[in-house]
Amino acid sequence: MTSEKFAHRPVLLQESLSGLNIKPDGIYIDATFGRGGHSAEILKQLSSKGRLIALDRDDTAIESAQRFIDDPRFSIHHVAFSNIEDVVNELELMCNIDGVLMDIGVSSPQLDDASRGFSFQKDGPLDMRMDRSSGISAADWLNKADLEEITMVLKTFGEEKFGKRIAHAVLEQRVIKPLETTAEFAQLIDKAVPVKDKFKHPATRSFQGVRIFINGELDQLNQGLEGAVNVLKSGGRLAVISFHSLEDRVAKRFIRKLSKGKEIPRGLPITQQEIDADKMVKAMGRAIKPSAEEIALNVRCRSSVLRVAEKL
Ligand SMILES: C[S@@+](CC[C@H](N)C(=O)[O-])C[C@H]1O[C@@H](n2cnc3c(N)ncnc32)[C@H](O)[C@@H]1O
């Protein structure tokens, strides 16, 4: 299946690019290349001296970058963005990066390709790994994890209040036949959930929870944010687009933590400079959400949020 079969529309494109404050000769990192929607636009704004380093943990994203491969300003690396510092170190560009973009979560091509197992609306193997060369599939995990672990994942990462009931149903099902497909998991959830939300498929939350767990998404985000700030030069920008409240909370808290100076007891004789010495970033404005026009064109972007920070 070619990666170009499934389309992807870049989210908050103009807003994230203006957040990055692209300098034509600058060095930028697109830490979540996907199908290169944001990368293509960054390249348009770079001069022949500029440089774009792209990362993605999904091999289909890497394949789709072939169209940029002849551009000497561009390179792509098949790694998780938690390794951003290793990539930049190897390129000997530490603290020389002008901007890092992280457009996290799954891409439309990942959701739309039934063989990836991300969607409860398309029947396929229950895989859900962004990087199929490592880790274990969602089915393998669900078929061996214990009740407490499954309940914790559904409740914590899926915010599913019926997590325990669903976990019980998984344990009962796998004695009869191990789970293999997205449709089997979706049907099991549908039967286990006693109260249905009018506007949401009952499997929405559980699929999100298992996906976040299988891909270690919140740990990735924490490590990726930390690494991104470390590779930036002073004045460099970090732009993070997230798709649900759990991720946005991590990004928001991270920026807030790094934009606060030392907690100093009141009344101590200390200069403003000493207070500021510990701040690593400043938040650039508030969270930005897609316009009504963008949502009308691409309903999947409706929950996206962009946050921008500048390294001091
Ligand atoms: C929402 S899409 C990005 C779309 C992209 N901005 C575009 O316009 O085409 C997210 C991409 O990030 C990748 N990704 C998610 N988590 C990652 C991680 N921890 N490290 C590297 N890539 C990751 C996914 O594989 C996916 O291709």
Side-chain angles (χ1 to χ4, degrees), residues 108-122:
S108 291
Q110 286 167 333
L111 276 174
D112 292 340
D113 182 349
S115 75
R116 304 300 303 269
F118 285 108
S119 172
F120 54 82
Q121 286 164 330
K122 291 174 193 285

Side-chain angles (χ1 to χ4, degrees), residues 228-249:
V229 169
N230 291 341
V231 302
L232 284 174
K233 61 162 66 153
S234 170
R237 293 280 181 93
L238 168 67
V240 189
I241 302 172
S242 55
F243 283 84
H244 55 76
S245 54
L246 284 178
E247 295 167 340
D248 183 50
R249 214 173 299 150

Side-chain angles (χ1 to χ4, degrees), residues 11-175:
V11 166
L12 289 162
L13 182 60
Q14 295 316 326
E15 294 85 343
S16 51
L17 263 85
S18 71
L20 285 173
N21 190 26
I22 305 279
K23 300 193 184 84
D25 296 346
I27 308 175
Y28 290 85
I29 299 183
D30 180 351
T32 49
F33 178 80
R35 288 297 173 276
H38 290 87
S39 277
E41 204 55 39
I42 294 173
L43 283 169
K44 273 190 209 158
Q45 297 191 17
L46 292 180
S47 72
S48 58
K49 289 193 198 129
R51 188 160 172 189
L52 176 63
I53 300 152
L55 320 177
D56 206 295
R57 70 198 299 198
D58 184 339
D59 53 347
T60 66
I62 306 300
E63 269 172 39
S64 81
Q66 284 309 313
R67 70 186 194 279
F68 293 141
I69 225 72
D70 290 337
D71 187 331
R73 302 169 301 167
F74 178 80
S75 66
I76 185 145
H77 305 257
H78 185 204
V79 287
F81 54 58
S82 53
N83 297 315
I84 189 168
E85 284 183 80
D86 294 341
V87 174
V88 174
N89 252 326
E90 236 164 73
L91 297 169
E92 299 181 1
L93 290 171
M94 206 59 187
C95 297
N96 275 310
I97 305 298
D98 291 279
V100 177
L101 172 69
M102 296 167 78
D103 175 17
I104 52 187
V106 273
S107 63
S108 291
Q110 286 167 333
L111 276 174
D112 292 340
D113 182 349
S115 75
R116 304 300 303 269
F118 285 108
S119 172
F120 54 82
Q121 286 164 330
K122 291 174 193 285
D123 193 18
L126 188 55
D127 189 324
M128 294 201 197
R129 281 171 304 163
M130 291 187 193
D131 180 356
R132 289 176 289 185
S133 65
S134 70
I136 65 164
S137 71
D140 285 348
W141 175 69
L142 282 165
N143 287 326
K144 69 169 211 256
D146 64 22
L147 184 77
E148 283 69 34
E149 194 182 13
I150 300 176
T151 307
M152 181 283 286
V153 166
L154 300 181
K155 287 195 172 220
T156 313
F157 303 131
E159 300 180 289
E160 172 55 73
K161 62 177 179 230
F162 300 116
K164 193 161 189 177
R165 280 176 187 251
I166 298 169
H168 269 295
V170 169
L171 264 64
E172 280 162 23
Q173 168 58 42
R174 70 193 199 194
V175 178

